[in-house]
Amino acid sequence: MVAPPYDIEAVRRDFPILEQKVNGQALVYLDSAASSQRPRAVIDAVRRHYETSHANVHRGAHELSVRATEAYEDARACVAAHIGAEDAAEIVFVRGTTEAINLVAGSLGKAHIGPGDEILLTKMEHHSNLVPWQLLAERTGATLRFVDVSPEGRLVLDDYARMLSERTRLVGVTHISNSLGVINPVREIAALAHEAGAFCLVDGAQAAPHLALDMGALGCDFYAFSGHKMCGPTGIGVLWARRAILEEMPPYQGGGEMIASVTLAGSTWAAVPHKFEAGTPNIAGAVGLGAAIRYLNAIGLDAIRRYETELLGYALERLGEIEGLRIYGPTDERVGVLSFTYLDVHAHDLATILDQRGIAIRAGHHCNQPLMEHLGVDATARASLYLYSTFQEVDALCEALHLAGEIFCRSA
Ligand code: PMP
């Protein structure tokens, strides 16, 4: 069956923010890997929640609290179905990927990791999947080890065979690198981790926006992602973990909502996932995330992926024509997160020149300082594509880069 054409104009109309001008020019938003924009469906769902159904969850005996609780738990069920979780209790709502990983490091780390144990990460991890483990290693005397990144920008898979041992307690890996765009073979990595008796945690911050996910098929133990990179609100994210593992893990934070009973002498814990959701949660955020998932599914993640892949091919070709521009990461098995350096122009100067033309890109180390060091740069410019990005925007980027190159060469 031939897939219907992707209606990019209709998609763009769903995102009110894209209609504006910035610095007198039509906005070209190429910073979705840092945070995506939100469609009207999400903005409306959050507004509707506050206008009609807001109250605290899981405690009130009144109608609004019942409605809010239903909406919150409905969002959990929506996330569970979206990522192929076996049970909605496997979905812990957190602030985002960063908090999800801190939760695992704080809780599982406390219970299962001690002196002499090893945590195997990679050199392409975002600081969110590095610093929490550094903190844990400091506290416990565990050692961190790092799988290498090849010159092409892929993980050196042979390192897993070399570095995994009975000392390895946990393997942490990003599903998609936020600097290289590369999609890592997390299924194979999870299988290798399990053969060695280690847990496997996957940072899905850059994957959840682009890929259809199935936790059963991936085979990892923990998967973390953020709502704001996949058309949802900020301040809401997800930790998925298998129920049996969550049940074994001690609480991460203490407070209201996470207890079964409390006396002055001690407390017992609520069932999962509530054991890990201390305090009043981000109710409207969860509702908005549910709306974002429904929105993405209405278009279809497969259709989005096909469109993004075509657009990525075009962007790689057009950027590849610019002399003095170097793109990092492989040309296949990747998404449209395009980090590059250009002549000797500093990434921040490039971003400033582009901003004057209404083009939003990111510049810096992208919370990937060890990877930048590995690549031998202190910063890159990064243009990232999403479901609402267009071929014309890629053209606008290339034109602005040509201009920046001319300005730089004249002044050099
Ligand atoms: N991991 C990766 C790969 C990311 O790209 C990001 C966001 N830049 C994070 C983790 C952290 O996500 P958040 O700031 O939403 O917690």
Side-chain angles (χ1 to χ4, degrees):
M1 203 175 79
V2 181
Y6 188 81
D7 191 348
I8 181 66
E9 287 311 319
V11 170
R12 286 183 70 80
R13 279 196 300 275
D14 291 337
F15 290 80
I17 203 167
L18 298 178
E19 287 161 19
Q20 69 187 292
K21 290 194 165 174
V22 166
N23 291 327
Q25 314 265 347
L27 169 65
V28 173
Y29 188 74
L30 297 175
D31 197 19
S32 293
S35 197
S36 73
Q37 298 300 346
R38 285 110 194 82
R40 201 171 272 110
V42 170
I43 299 166
D44 287 351
V46 172
R47 203 195 56 236
R48 234 182 357 259
H49 169 78
Y50 282 128
E51 284 179 355
T52 66
S53 309
H54 184 69
N56 214 328
V57 291
H58 300 140
R59 43 174 90 146
H62 57 82
E63 171 61 22
L64 285 189
S65 177
V66 170
R67 263 187 237 164
T69 304
E70 274 172 11
Y72 184 66
E73 293 304 327
D74 177 60
R76 196 190 307 277
C78 175
V79 172
H82 184 66
I83 64 169
E86 271 186 11
D87 186 336
E90 297 182 333
I91 305 299
V92 181
F93 281 127
V94 287
R95 277 193 297 133
T97 309
T98 304
E99 188 176 34
I101 298 171
N102 275 280
L103 191 163
V104 179
S107 167
L108 183 93
K110 194 158 89 189
H112 283 281
I113 295 173
D117 288 344
E118 292 183 357
I119 298 164
L120 183 55
L121 305 172
T122 83
K123 289 185 184 171
M124 65 167 79
E125 296 314 305
H126 186 281
H127 296 169
S128 301
N129 199 22
L130 169 57
V131 182
W133 304 114
Q134 288 176 333
L135 290 170
L136 180 70
E138 261 174 39
R139 270 204 316 273
T140 60
T143 305
L144 305 186
R145 304 191 71 195
F146 301 95
V147 166
D148 213 343
V149 175
S150 74
E152 206 196 349
R154 298 183 203 272
L155 289 179
V156 177
L157 290 179
D158 288 349
D159 275 4
Y160 281 103
R162 225 166 35 78
M163 292 182 167
L164 276 163
S165 76
E166 73 284 353
R167 284 188 302 279
T168 317
R169 285 278 156 274
L170 181 132
V171 170
V173 61
T174 189
H175 197 164
I176 294 182
S177 160
N178 61 304
S179 285
L180 301 168
V182 63
I183 304 173
N184 290 321
V186 290
R187 199 172 161 159
E188 285 89 321
I189 294 168
L192 289 170
H194 288 161
E195 267 172 41
F199 289 107
C200 179
L201 174 142
V202 177
D203 170 351
Q206 295 295 340
H210 301 285
L211 306 181
L213 296 172
D214 179 354
M215 291 303 115
L218 273 190
C220 58
D221 302 298
F222 302 98
Y223 198 93
F225 58 98
S226 304
H228 70 98
K229 293 184 197 283
M230 54 188 294
C231 298
T234 52
I236 187 77
V238 171
L239 170 69
W240 168 84
R242 269 184 281 118
R243 188 174 184 151
I245 299 177
L246 282 178
E247 281 172 351
E248 283 284 300
M249 285 164 51
Y252 158 61
Q253 293 179 331
E257 306 254 352
M258 52 75 72
I259 50 87
S261 77
V262 178
T263 67
L264 292 181
S267 306
T268 58
W269 317 130
V272 296
H274 307 293
K275 180 170 75 173
F276 295 105
E277 293 182 0
T280 301
N282 183 353
I283 307 160
V287 168
L289 176 57
I293 288 172
R294 289 189 185 99
Y295 174 80
L296 291 171
N297 285 336
I299 300 172
L301 278 177
D302 288 345
I304 293 170
R305 180 99 181 99
R306 271 195 303 277
Y307 174 73
E308 286 180 352
T309 303
E310 228 180 278
L311 186 61
L312 167 64
Y314 181 69
L316 285 171
E317 190 185 311
R318 288 291 323 269
L319 288 167
E321 289 163 5
I322 301 176
E323 224 172 287
L325 188 140
R326 172 167 180 204
I327 298 175
Y328 294 86
T331 51
D332 62 346
E333 297 292 319
R334 67 167 300 149
V335 299
V337 179
L338 297 157
S339 278
F340 58 89
T341 48
Y342 183 36
L343 300 168
D344 285 331
V345 193
H346 195 277
H348 287 123
D349 294 337
L350 262 187
T352 305
I353 297 170
L354 265 53
D355 183 48
Q356 284 159 7
R357 294 174 71 90
I359 302 172
I361 63 162
R362 178 143 183 206
H365 54 63
H366 319 297
C367 301
N368 264 153
Q369 277 185 354
L371 177 65
M372 293 293 130
E373 194 182 333
H374 183 74
L375 297 173
V377 293
D378 63 355
T380 68
R382 186 184 74 184
S384 48
L385 310 170
Y386 203 20
L387 75 161
Y388 40 68
S389 306
T390 68
F391 287 73
Q392 292 87 335
E393 288 181 320
V394 170
D395 290 340
L397 170 69
C398 292
E399 214 177 284
L401 286 172
H402 276 298
L403 190 87
E406 277 169 27
I407 295 170
F408 178 75
C409 289
R410 266 204 309 273
S411 64

